[in-house]
Amino acid sequence: MPSTPERPRRVVVQDHGPLLVEGPVTIVAEDGTTRTSDRFMVAVCTCRRSRSYPWCDTSHRVHSRARRTAGNPPGADDAAPADGETP
C-alpha cells in the first residue's frame, strides 16, 4: 500500500526509545493486522514492552528505573531518564 505524500515522511530514531514518525501512519504487523493513527506525530514502540503495542506508552522508562533500583548504577541500564526525570 504505497503512499504518495507531497514530501517524505520524517522518522526520528531515539537511543533506547521509540521511533517518532510524522503521521498519519498505518502500521502493518507480522500477522497482517493493521493499526492506524491520524496524529501529527506517532511514537512507535521498539522495545515491545508497551501495553498498547505498536504505540509507545513509555514502558521502557519504568523498566530502566527498576533495573537501576535493583543495584545497577545509572548509565548501566538500557535507557536514560528523560529530561527532568529523576532516576
Side-chain angles (χ1 to χ4, degrees), residues 23-73:
V25 299
T26 298
I27 300 210
V28 181
E30 292 176 25
D31 64 0
T33 59
T34 60
R35 300 280 306 267
T36 303
S37 175
D38 60 354
R39 293 177 171 241
F40 68 94
M41 183 67 74
V42 178
V44 180
C45 177
T46 58
C47 71
R48 293 188 176 247
R49 293 182 188 112
S50 175
R51 289 188 180 131
S52 58
Y53 188 80
W55 317 122
C56 178
D57 67 0
T58 67
S59 291
H60 60 277
R61 291 182 189 168
V62 174
H63 180 74
S64 67
R65 238 183 269 131
R67 286 182 59 191
R68 268 184 268 165
T69 57
N72 292 334

Side-chain angles (χ1 to χ4, degrees), residues 74-85:
D77 60 297
D78 60 2
D83 290 337
E85 185 179 45

